[in-house]
């Protein structure tokens, strides 16, 4: 679980560009950006509002954690994003589903282990009941 949480923490902080805390996402790209912004700003309330009930994160080794486990680790400071910069963001929207991909240069701490480097990320956002939510995030280190 540590490796999953670490991988997720590292890949998320960079998606924070041009998002406003507490704002409702206007589209899939904004939803993904607000999610990473909440991680960087350690905003557990916004994070809780941005993830779906069935949210999952897939780490470097292909392991997944559910939303409750992730939010608990984040709230307890097990996952700490120190800095992050997104680049190459591309969104493909299919009706009420958006697939957001890009690179994330991140510095993070997970359970006292440090990570610094570039990752490829993919987040899936779904519009349900008129509101965009992040349903899945996958992070892969760039070698």
């Amino acid at each position: 679980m540590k490796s999953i949480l670490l991988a997720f923490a590292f890949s998320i902080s960079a998606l924070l560009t041009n998002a406003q805390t507490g704002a409702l996402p206007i589209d899939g790209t904004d939803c993904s950006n607000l999610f990473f912004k909440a991680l960087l700003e350690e905003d557990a309330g916004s994070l809780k509002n941005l993830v779906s009930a069935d949210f999952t994160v897939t780490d470097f080794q292909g392991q997944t954690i559910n939303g409750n486990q992730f939010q608990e680790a984040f709230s307890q400071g097990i996952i700490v994003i120190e800095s992050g910069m997104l680049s190459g963001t591309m969104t493909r929207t299919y009706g009420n589903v958006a697939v957001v991909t890009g690179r994330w240069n991140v510095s993070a701490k997970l359970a006292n282990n440090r990570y610094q480097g570039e990752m490829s990320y993919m987040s899936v956002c779904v519009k349900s009941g008129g509101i965009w939510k992040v349903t899945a995030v996958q992070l892969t280190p760039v070698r």
Side-chain angles (χ1 to χ4, degrees), residues 33-109:
N33 289 344
L34 285 169
F35 172 77
F36 287 100
K37 182 177 191 227
L39 289 174
L40 185 61
E41 294 180 352
E42 299 179 15
D43 186 347
S46 289
L47 185 66
K48 182 178 180 179
N49 291 330
L50 287 166
V51 299
S52 65
D54 59 349
F55 174 80
T56 60
V57 176
T58 304
D59 75 359
F60 301 160
Q61 289 78 37
Q63 298 176 326
T64 60
I65 60 169
N66 68 40
N68 291 334
Q69 294 168 320
F70 172 73
Q71 288 182 38
E72 184 177 319
F74 180 74
S75 294
Q76 293 177 359
I78 295 170
I79 298 171
V80 177
I81 306 302
E82 297 166 342
S83 66
M85 176 68 70
L86 296 177
S87 64
T89 301
M90 183 176 83
T91 303
R92 296 180 313 267
T93 303
Y94 307 97
N96 290 329
V97 177
V99 178
V100 184
T101 59
R103 297 275 178 116
W104 188 33
N105 193 335
V106 64
S107 177
K109 185 176 80 170

Side-chain angles (χ1 to χ4, degrees), residues 1-9 65 69-70 73 78-79 110:
M1 182 166 157
K2 282 185 180 181
S3 65
I4 293 171
L5 294 175
L6 180 59
F8 179 75
I65 60 169
Q69 294 168 320
F70 172 73
I78 295 170
I79 298 171
L110 174 64

